[in-house]
Amino acid sequence: GIPAYPITFKQSDDKCGSSAEHAKELSKIIGQIKDETGKNKVNIVGHSKGGLDARVYLANNTKDVANLVMIGTPNAGSPLAESSEICTPAVYDLRPGAAATEVKMNPNTKYYTIAGEWDPKLGNCQLTPFLPMEQFFSFEQVGFSSLPIPNDGMVSVSSVESQDYFINLGHSTNCHSNLLSEYEYGLAKDVIVEGSSNQTGTQQQGGQQQQDTSDVASNASQSANKTGEAIQGNASEIGA
């Protein structure tokens, strides 16, 4: 199998740190995982701002990331972050036109997206660890009506898929806070598993295939103020 490593940023603010600071720490984390596993490359799966953190890291033209899968990532920003000052400086990276949303493509990496196409009438918005379900659900309903449709309640599909070089893996009916279910994993699985096995430098040892790619997944944590206005912060998970 392909080992997976959950990541917590310890040298920068895990929940509300900037993409630039997270990218610096991500570089060290990936290096450590490559040393530990003996792999040449990693795959990254990033939820929400976790995808922006990875894009900022990739802008350095690193050659150690084979695939980046971004789930509900506000690649063109989200208008919901424009008037918010909660969870700074992370919220600044989520605004339309922010530097983190306009970093250049890394030609050594393939970029994939999964977007939420949520209908508030269907629910599909589970309890989060930061807000009572009814409060977070109410906020995402407000967000849904404020954003271009379709959206996941916090990020529009058009923002997630904003760049021509992104490869669309599909849409989920879940809201933003619930985009890490088995369904989204199923959409990303082939890229992670097949992408790892198809990398150059694959070795055979004792009849067992040893892959030269590790998997890295970034999960955004959530932050909200008492009025129910919420944004996504950052946490990461790396897998080898």
Side-chain angles (χ1 to χ4, degrees):
I2 304 173
Y5 293 79
I7 297 303
T8 299
F9 294 111
K10 298 179 180 179
Q11 298 176 3
S12 54
D13 188 335
D14 183 61
K15 184 186 297 183
C16 297
S18 69
S19 289
E21 289 300 315
H22 282 184
K24 291 178 183 178
E25 191 169 349
L26 185 59
S27 177
K28 298 178 182 178
I29 293 170
I30 291 176
Q32 292 170 352
I33 289 176
K34 287 167 58 182
D35 290 342
E36 179 179 334
T37 62
K39 313 292 186 179
N40 294 327
K41 293 188 176 184
V42 301
N43 295 317
I44 299 179
V45 179
H47 175 242
S48 195
K49 183 178 173 290
L52 292 180
D53 297 345
R55 285 183 61 196
V56 173
Y57 168 68
L58 289 172
N60 293 322
N61 279 333
T62 176
K63 296 182 179 179
D64 56 11
V65 178
N67 303 293
L68 167 61
V69 179
M70 299 171 287
I71 305 176
T73 295
N75 285 307
S78 173
L80 299 181
E82 289 186 302
S83 60
S84 175
E85 290 292 330
I86 61 172
C87 203
T88 59
V91 68
Y92 303 141
D93 292 322
L94 306 178
R95 294 175 177 175
T101 69
E102 298 183 346
V103 291
K104 62 183 180 179
M105 170 190 175
N106 185 327
N108 304 303
T109 301
K110 291 183 178 179
Y111 295 70
Y112 297 88
T113 63
I114 296 173
E117 192 169 335
W118 180 55
D119 182 349
K121 296 177 182 178
L122 299 179
N124 297 334
C125 198
Q126 294 182 354
L127 179 67
T128 79
F130 295 94
L131 284 175
M133 181 164 63
E134 63 273 10
Q135 184 177 350
F136 196 84
F137 183 77
S138 175
F139 169 76
E140 293 201 270
Q141 282 186 309
V142 173
F144 175 84
S145 61
S146 303
L147 295 169
I149 296 174
N151 64 69
D152 62 13
M154 297 182 75
V155 181
S156 68
V157 170
S158 60
S159 178
V160 177
E161 301 173 355
S162 59
Q163 298 296 325
D164 292 340
Y165 59 87
F166 294 164
I167 302 170
N168 175 21
L169 291 177
H171 294 171
S172 168
T173 59
N174 287 321
C175 70
H176 189 81
S177 59
N178 197 34
L179 284 174
L180 293 173
S181 71
E182 288 294 323
Y183 180 77
E184 290 79 32
Y185 170 73
L187 293 177
K189 182 178 179 180
D190 286 348
V191 168
I192 296 171
V193 176
E194 293 180 12
S196 297
S197 61
N198 289 337
Q199 292 303 311
T200 59
T202 298
Q203 302 174 355
Q204 296 284 343
Q205 290 189 352
Q208 297 293 321
Q209 187 178 65
Q210 183 174 0
Q211 298 166 342
D212 284 348
T213 304
S214 307
D215 291 331
V216 179
S218 296
N219 299 326
S221 56
Q222 295 135 6
S223 175
N225 66 10
K226 60 185 179 181
T227 65
E229 182 180 10
I231 62 169
Q232 291 286 333
N234 325 284
S236 300
E237 178 183 335
I238 292 190

